[in-house]
Amino acid sequence: MPHLTFSERFCGLEFDWFAQDAEGNIGLFSTAGLGPVPRNVPPHFQDHDRAALSIDLPPTGSLAVWEDFARQGLYVFDWQPHQGPYRKLKQPEGDMPAALRQDVL
């Protein structure tokens, strides 16, 4: 695939990005193709993409995927068009594997 910019790659498409809070908790934020992304994320979108794809999830193809992310130790936030800011859907349901934490960070 040719080298694409962030806006060329994700214009109107789903993109998952990560953030860490002051306490070390890590959240996955799902844009639903419309949600805002912090300015410091687009220059590193390939790293965020790679980390998201490294998460071992069963291919559910449903909203149950949020539970799968929570089982991996992530807070899960989703952008809801026409409903305001990112909404927390799930809290971690287990410890984050060390390899995943390293990939995300």
Side-chain angles (χ1 to χ4, degrees), residues 17-94:
W17 56 276
F18 300 90
Q20 182 180 25
D21 69 13
E23 297 173 0
N25 300 304
I26 297 177
L28 175 135
F29 293 78
S30 177
T31 67
L34 300 171
V37 177
R39 285 189 307 236
N40 64 337
V41 171
H44 305 282
F45 77 89
Q46 292 169 328
D47 296 327
H48 287 261
D49 231 9
R50 194 172 11 263
L53 293 172
S54 76
I55 299 173
D56 187 25
L57 300 172
T60 60
S62 73
L63 293 179
V65 72
W66 303 135
E67 293 171 10
D68 295 332
F69 282 121
R71 282 189 205 101
Q72 294 293 319
L74 292 160
Y75 284 86
V76 179
F77 298 84
D78 190 29
W79 181 259
Q80 300 292 312
H82 312 294
Q83 293 182 15
Y86 283 96
R87 185 178 67 168
K88 183 169 69 171
L89 299 180
K90 294 287 179 184
Q91 293 192 173
E93 295 178 8

